[in-house]
Amino acid sequence: MRAKVYVTLKPGVHDPAGKAVVGGLNHLGFDEVKGVRIGKFFEIELDEGPDAEARLKAMCEKLLANTVIERYRVEIA
Amino acid sequence: MRAKVYVTLKPGVHDPAGKAVVGGLNHLGFDEVKGVRIGKFFEIELDEGPDAEARLKAMCEKLLANTVIERYRVEIA
Protein backbone atom coordinates (compact mmCIF):
# COMPACT_ATOMS: atom_id res chain seq x y z
CA MET A 1 0.00 0.00 0.00
CA ARG A 2 0.96 3.63 -0.38
CA ALA A 3 0.65 6.50 2.05
CA LYS A 4 1.54 10.15 1.95
CA VAL A 5 2.70 12.16 4.90
CA TYR A 6 2.69 15.96 4.73
CA VAL A 7 4.83 17.84 7.22
CA THR A 8 4.42 21.60 7.60
CA LEU A 9 5.71 24.20 9.99
CA LYS A 10 3.20 25.17 12.67
CA PRO A 11 1.65 28.61 12.27
CA GLY A 12 3.83 31.22 13.92
CA VAL A 13 7.06 29.33 13.34
CA HIS A 14 9.47 31.46 11.36
CA ASP A 15 10.23 30.13 7.85
CA PRO A 16 13.34 31.88 6.50
CA ALA A 17 13.55 29.57 3.47
CA GLY A 18 9.99 30.50 2.55
CA LYS A 19 10.83 34.19 2.88
CA ALA A 20 13.82 33.68 0.59
CA VAL A 21 11.54 32.09 -2.01
CA VAL A 22 9.19 35.10 -1.83
CA GLY A 23 12.17 37.36 -2.44
CA GLY A 24 13.36 35.24 -5.36
CA LEU A 25 9.93 35.13 -6.99
CA ASN A 26 9.39 38.89 -6.54
CA HIS A 27 12.81 39.49 -8.04
CA LEU A 28 11.85 37.39 -11.07
CA GLY A 29 8.81 39.59 -11.63
CA PHE A 30 6.19 37.59 -9.77
CA ASP A 31 5.15 40.55 -7.67
CA GLU A 32 1.79 39.00 -6.81
CA VAL A 33 3.46 36.54 -4.45
CA LYS A 34 3.01 37.71 -0.86
CA GLY A 35 4.00 34.70 1.20
CA VAL A 36 5.44 31.21 0.90
CA ARG A 37 5.69 28.45 3.47
CA ILE A 38 7.72 25.38 2.64
CA GLY A 39 6.82 21.90 3.77
CA LYS A 40 7.89 18.44 2.83
CA PHE A 41 6.13 15.25 2.09
CA PHE A 42 6.94 11.59 2.11
CA GLU A 43 5.54 9.03 -0.31
CA ILE A 44 5.73 5.81 1.65
CA GLU A 45 5.46 2.31 0.23
CA LEU A 46 4.62 -0.17 2.96
CA ASP A 47 3.14 -3.58 3.59
CA GLU A 48 -0.54 -3.58 4.48
CA GLY A 49 -1.58 -3.94 8.08
CA PRO A 50 -4.72 -3.36 10.12
CA ASP A 51 -3.14 -0.59 12.16
CA ALA A 52 -1.35 1.13 9.31
CA GLU A 53 -2.69 4.59 10.09
CA ALA A 54 -1.72 4.40 13.76
CA ARG A 55 1.73 3.16 12.81
CA LEU A 56 2.17 5.94 10.26
CA LYS A 57 1.32 8.47 12.96
CA ALA A 58 3.89 6.85 15.21
CA MET A 59 6.48 7.18 12.43
CA CYS A 60 5.70 10.89 12.26
CA GLU A 61 6.03 11.33 16.01
CA LYS A 62 9.28 9.42 16.17
CA LEU A 63 11.12 10.37 13.01
CA LEU A 64 9.37 12.20 10.20
CA ALA A 65 8.24 15.35 11.98
CA ASN A 66 9.66 17.52 14.70
CA THR A 67 6.43 17.99 16.59
CA VAL A 68 7.76 20.95 18.54
CA ILE A 69 7.66 23.10 15.43
CA GLU A 70 5.93 20.97 12.81
CA ARG A 71 2.57 19.34 12.30
CA TYR A 72 1.79 16.42 10.04
CA ARG A 73 -1.03 14.90 8.09
CA VAL A 74 -1.26 11.27 7.03
CA GLU A 75 -3.12 10.30 3.86
CA ILE A 76 -3.59 6.67 2.93
CA ALA A 77 -4.05 6.13 -0.81
CA MET B 1 -5.70 33.51 -3.01
CA ARG B 2 -3.76 30.45 -2.02
CA ALA B 3 -2.04 27.84 -4.11
CA LYS B 4 -0.05 24.74 -3.38
CA VAL B 5 2.83 23.48 -5.44
CA TYR B 6 4.08 19.94 -5.00
CA VAL B 7 7.56 19.10 -6.25
CA THR B 8 8.69 15.49 -6.47
CA LEU B 9 11.66 13.70 -7.92
CA LYS B 10 10.97 12.12 -11.29
CA PRO B 11 10.70 8.34 -11.32
CA GLY B 12 14.12 6.80 -11.71
CA VAL B 13 15.96 9.63 -10.02
CA HIS B 14 17.92 8.34 -7.07
CA ASP B 15 16.68 9.57 -3.66
CA PRO B 16 19.36 8.94 -1.03
CA ALA B 17 17.50 10.93 1.63
CA GLY B 18 14.44 8.74 1.10
CA LYS B 19 16.59 5.63 1.40
CA ALA B 20 17.99 6.96 4.69
CA VAL B 21 14.46 7.45 5.99
CA VAL B 22 13.60 3.84 5.10
CA GLY B 23 16.67 2.72 7.06
CA GLY B 24 15.72 4.88 10.03
CA LEU B 25 12.13 3.66 10.10
CA ASN B 26 13.17 0.01 9.78
CA HIS B 27 15.66 0.52 12.57
CA LEU B 28 12.88 1.91 14.77
CA GLY B 29 10.86 -1.26 14.23
CA PHE B 30 8.71 -0.16 11.31
CA ASP B 31 9.73 -3.13 9.19
CA GLU B 32 6.68 -2.78 6.94
CA VAL B 33 8.20 0.27 5.26
CA LYS B 34 9.71 -0.68 1.91
CA GLY B 35 10.33 2.62 0.21
CA VAL B 36 10.20 6.35 0.78
CA ARG B 37 10.49 9.23 -1.67
CA ILE B 38 10.79 12.72 -0.33
CA GLY B 39 9.25 15.75 -1.99
CA LYS B 40 8.57 19.28 -0.96
CA PHE B 41 5.65 21.59 -1.25
CA PHE B 42 5.07 25.29 -1.23
CA GLU B 43 2.01 27.00 0.20
CA ILE B 44 1.84 30.22 -1.74
CA GLU B 45 -0.19 33.29 -0.83
CA LEU B 46 -0.66 35.52 -3.84
CA ASP B 47 -2.85 38.23 -5.28
CA GLU B 48 -5.58 37.02 -7.59
CA GLY B 49 -5.12 37.27 -11.31
CA PRO B 50 -6.72 35.80 -14.42
CA ASP B 51 -3.59 33.91 -15.41
CA ALA B 52 -2.65 32.70 -11.94
CA GLU B 53 -2.25 29.07 -12.94
CA ALA B 54 0.00 29.87 -15.90
CA ARG B 55 2.08 32.17 -13.73
CA LEU B 56 2.39 29.53 -11.02
CA LYS B 57 3.66 27.07 -13.62
CA ALA B 58 6.17 29.68 -14.76
CA MET B 59 7.34 30.05 -11.14
CA CYS B 60 7.92 26.29 -11.02
CA GLU B 61 9.87 26.30 -14.26
CA LYS B 62 12.02 29.24 -13.23
CA LEU B 63 12.61 28.73 -9.52
CA LEU B 64 10.63 26.20 -7.54
CA ALA B 65 11.50 23.01 -9.39
CA ASN B 66 14.56 21.68 -11.11
CA THR B 67 12.79 20.27 -14.13
CA VAL B 68 15.74 18.12 -15.12
CA ILE B 69 15.13 15.84 -12.15
CA GLU B 70 11.85 17.01 -10.65
CA ARG B 71 8.24 17.31 -11.68
CA TYR B 72 5.65 19.59 -10.16
CA ARG B 73 1.94 19.87 -9.66
CA VAL B 74 0.03 23.10 -9.07
CA GLU B 75 -3.16 23.10 -7.02
CA ILE B 76 -5.21 26.26 -6.63
CA ALA B 77 -7.29 26.33 -3.45
Side-chain angles (χ1 to χ4, degrees):
Chain A
M1 63 184 286
R2 270 173 185 278
K4 286 188 182 175
V5 170
Y6 299 86
V7 177
T8 45
L9 286 172
K10 288 182 179 174
V13 176
H14 192 54
D15 182 359
K19 281 217 167 32
V21 170
V22 174
L25 288 171
N26 291 165
H27 183 71
L28 287 170
F30 298 107
D31 298 313
E32 71 267 43
V33 176
K34 301 305 178 196
V36 171
R37 308 244 330 143
I38 302 179
K40 57 195 159 180
F41 69 93
F42 302 87
E43 294 178 313
I44 301 176
E45 180 70 44
L46 71 172
D47 291 335
E48 299 231 23
D51 53 355
E53 190 168 351
R55 287 181 67 85
L56 281 160
K57 285 182 179 168
M59 293 176 207
C60 292
E61 295 283 339
K62 287 185 180 162
L63 186 75
L64 302 180
N66 174 354
T67 55
V68 176
I69 56 167
E70 294 172 326
R71 54 183 176 186
Y72 59 84
R73 186 163 57 84
V74 172
E75 205 174 77
I76 294 178
Chain B
M1 63 183 285
R2 269 172 187 280
K4 286 186 181 174
V5 170
Y6 299 86
V7 177
T8 45
L9 286 172
K10 287 183 179 174
V13 177
H14 191 56
D15 182 1
K19 282 219 164 33
V21 169
V22 174
L25 289 171
N26 291 165
H27 183 73
L28 287 170
F30 299 106
D31 299 313
E32 71 268 44
V33 175
K34 302 304 177 196
V36 172
R37 303 226 1 128
I38 302 179
K40 57 195 158 176
F41 69 93
F42 302 87
E43 295 178 313
I44 302 176
E45 179 70 44
L46 71 171
D47 290 336
E48 300 232 20
D51 52 355
E53 188 167 353
R55 288 181 67 84
L56 282 159
K57 285 182 180 168
M59 292 177 208
C60 292
E61 295 283 339
K62 288 186 180 163
L63 186 76
L64 302 180
N66 175 353
T67 56
V68 176
I69 56 166
E70 293 171 327
R71 55 184 176 185
Y72 59 84
R73 185 162 58 83
V74 172
E75 205 174 77
I76 295 178

